[in-house]
Amino acid sequence: MTESTALSGDPGVLRDRARTALLAARDRTSLLTDCVQEGELTAQVSPLMSPLVWDLAHIGNQEEQWLLRAVAGRAAMRPEIDPLYDAFEHPRAERPTLPLLPPSEARAYAAEVRGRALDVLDSAPLHGSPLTDAGFAFGMIAQHEQQHDETMLITHQLRTGPVVLTAPDPEPAAGFTGPAEVLVPGGPFTMGTSAEPWALDNERPAHHRLVPAFFLDTTPVTNGAYQVFIEEGGYEDPRWWEPRGWDHVRSRGISAPLFWRREGGTWLRRRFGATEPVVAEEPVVHVGWFEADAYARWAGRRLPTETEWEKAARFDPATGRSTRYPWGDADPGPEHANLGQRHLRPAPAGSYPAGESPLGIRQLIGDVWEWTSSGFLPYPGFAAFPYREYSEVFFGGDYKVLRGGSFAVDAVACRGTFRNWDHPIRRQIFSGFRTARDLTPADEAFGEGI
């Protein structure tokens, strides 16, 4: 899909786009919930995660509230269950104790809501209010479901038991021979968006930022590089750690990425129920912000700011324009990025040359969420829409911004402006990182800052 199609005001195009996104999300939800027995749907594999059956009914409840009630003005189907599926009323740890809909009832409820929502889509005016303009509410709900699908995939990674999910591996990639880092030139660029029709409130509005020149890793940090950090005592040396991070890894006995273990001279990891050797060429995944920050310090570098990351991902130096994605304005295809659970692992570092930025930076979209050094804050001119609880209540605190999506993220919920955030201790998410550095006097002497 080109930018002109994505931003099209043609009602037929918008309805097709929304229907496709909603159906794709529901197919994935079914895949993630139909592959396990009823007992696993109602079980809680970790206090960090909801039972899968909660996510299933919550998806339906959000869709009912926004598409049937808010857009279509219909009466509530099951008003008594609204409090059960309010994510702010009940933290994840206590959700198994709630009188949740059993799996068969949750499926039936979500299916009935979806049928009615598609009828609404066929007739709703896709203009006239911020909620319906360009089909925003339908895009918001498709993104919401895909975000919960990613959450459910995390639950699958945390579960024990036999393998229930399979997917082909990414295509093998020839060993990447490009430069280790790329210069991102200094100067202004446009951050955020005021034009992307389904962008969420924290991505808005578009505004100008001035960014000094910096260097950024061409690819995400790999398992092999991270192993060197481990072998050289990275987890044993407080010099590399932010004080809270040092306290955290010492108190929890953390000495490697989540799901890793050492057996003899080999690093192994558990991945969706299977144990396998750690693949050196893949981007490291399941590391928290504290670990990413420590590695960067150990390497004599730093994590990029959120602004730096977005400039590297969107700025085209030939035109001075900010594009929707590193490769341009076209929606992601399988040649551009590892998205949408097509694979259940990151692709080797250096993959997807068709998805590289004009500066030659690869895998900025897909594979692993990338930690940045920035806290989660609003942009100048931010306005909460359509509800404060999506973004505004999370601003400030200790949340750190992640960018770029992962193999677990669908394209509808991933773009150059999309912002994710989490606590720096979080490791169950599909998170990795790349590092940056400032220019040195030697770089400037050779004209690198020009």
Side-chain angles (χ1 to χ4, degrees):
M1 183 181 294
T2 65
E3 180 184 34
S4 60
T5 303
L7 305 182
S8 171
D10 182 296
V13 172
L14 293 171
R15 288 186 215 282
D16 287 346
R17 183 180 185 226
R19 180 181 292 272
T20 297
L22 289 167
L23 293 177
R26 187 52 48 88
D27 286 345
R28 188 177 174 200
T29 299
S30 298
L31 173 67
L32 291 164
T33 55
D34 291 350
C35 62
V36 294
Q37 300 296 316
E38 183 168 314
E40 287 202 71
L41 287 174
T42 57
Q44 185 178 48
V45 303
S46 165
L48 295 173
M49 312 305 294
S50 307
L52 292 172
V53 74
W54 185 92
D55 287 288
L56 177 58
H58 171 77
I59 286 167
N61 187 248
Q62 285 291 105
E63 186 167 342
E64 185 202 343
Q65 290 192 46
W66 287 105
L67 300 189
L68 302 189
R69 301 183 204 175
V71 172
R74 299 184 182 182
M77 292 169 55
R78 300 283 300 268
E80 75 281 3
I81 71 171
D82 288 355
L84 298 177
Y85 299 102
D86 184 332
F88 286 87
E89 188 164 334
H90 301 288
R92 288 175 175 175
E94 71 176 39
R95 289 171 190 171
T97 67
L98 302 174
L100 303 176
L101 299 181
S104 60
E105 197 171 341
R107 285 194 179 98
Y109 168 66
E112 184 175 359
V113 171
R114 173 51 54 84
R116 297 185 185 190
L118 292 177
D119 289 342
V120 171
L121 175 60
D122 287 339
S123 58
L126 302 185
H127 58 83
S129 78
L131 193 61
T132 58
D133 283 348
F136 173 81
F138 300 93
M140 177 184 74
I141 288 300
Q143 291 177 82
H144 174 265
E145 182 163 356
Q146 288 284 5
Q147 288 170 321
H148 276 272
D149 289 340
E150 181 182 7
T151 299
M152 289 193 285
L153 189 62
I154 293 170
T155 299
H156 275 278
Q157 170 65 358
L158 287 165
R159 69 180 282 278
T160 57
V163 173
V164 296
L165 292 174
T166 60
D169 286 342
E171 289 292 326
F176 179 65
T177 58
E181 63 179 5
V182 172
L183 174 70
V184 180
F189 92 108
T190 300
M191 186 172 186
T193 180
S194 298
E196 187 74 32
W198 291 357
L200 303 172
D201 60 3
N202 62 61
E203 302 170 65
R204 300 173 181 271
H207 57 287
H208 295 295
R209 293 285 180 97
L210 184 65
V211 184
F214 66 99
F215 283 95
L216 186 69
D217 288 341
T218 310
T219 69
V221 170
T222 64
N223 290 324
Y226 200 85
Q227 286 176 37
V228 177
F229 169 67
I230 298 172
E231 301 300 337
E232 294 192 1
Y235 281 90
E236 307 298 325
D237 192 334
R239 288 181 299 165
W240 314 129
W241 295 82
E242 194 267 2
R244 288 185 305 142
W246 178 247
D247 291 344
H248 179 70
V249 298
R250 302 309 287 176
S251 66
R252 300 297 179 92
I254 295 170
S255 58
L258 188 61
F259 307 116
W260 284 31
R261 77 171 193 270
R262 187 153 193 161
E263 195 168 284
T266 303
W267 281 106
L268 303 175
R269 69 174 174 192
R270 181 166 58 83
R271 186 176 63 86
F272 299 108
T275 298
E276 62 185 21
V278 169
V279 179
E281 296 79 19
E282 287 182 7
V284 66
V285 64
H286 296 302
V287 290
W289 184 90
F290 288 132
E291 291 166 288
D293 179 65
Y295 174 97
R297 296 181 196 221
W298 167 82
R301 298 172 68 84
R302 60 177 176 79
L303 295 179
T305 67
E306 180 183 16
T307 303
E308 288 174 333
W309 188 97
E310 186 169 323
K311 182 168 185 180
R314 300 185 61 211
F315 181 69
D316 183 348
T319 64
R321 193 171 70 85
S322 291
T323 57
R324 298 176 68 217
Y325 298 96
W327 55 86
D329 293 324
D331 280 354
E335 72 279 14
H336 293 125
N338 181 6
L339 292 167
Q341 203 180 311
R342 273 198 327 273
H343 313 295
L344 289 170
R345 64 196 309 151
S351 297
Y352 303 105
E356 73 177 19
S357 75
L359 297 172
I361 306 170
R362 296 197 179 182
Q363 292 167 286
L364 285 159
I365 298 292
D367 286 304
V368 292
W369 284 107
E370 298 185 13
W371 288 108
T372 73
S373 64
S374 300
F376 185 50
L377 295 170
Y379 291 158
F382 168 84
F385 177 77
Y387 58 104
R388 291 184 60 248
E389 291 78 10
Y390 181 71
S391 302
E392 188 174 357
V393 298
F394 295 101
F395 292 143
D398 74 341
Y399 293 104
K400 295 294 186 181
V401 173
L402 302 103
R403 287 302 206 103
S406 72
F407 65 86
V409 176
D410 188 79
V412 75
C414 184
R415 50 196 161 262
T417 57
F418 193 92
R419 307 172 77 195
N420 189 9
W421 64 95
D422 214 327
H423 297 291
I425 64 172
R426 290 289 183 253
R427 309 200 309 151
Q428 82 276 15
I429 60 178
F430 301 110
S431 52
F433 63 101
R434 71 181 74 214
T435 67
R437 71 173 175 90
D438 299 328
L439 272 65
T440 66
D443 296 321
E444 293 173 347
F446 282 97
E448 294 284 16
I450 297 174

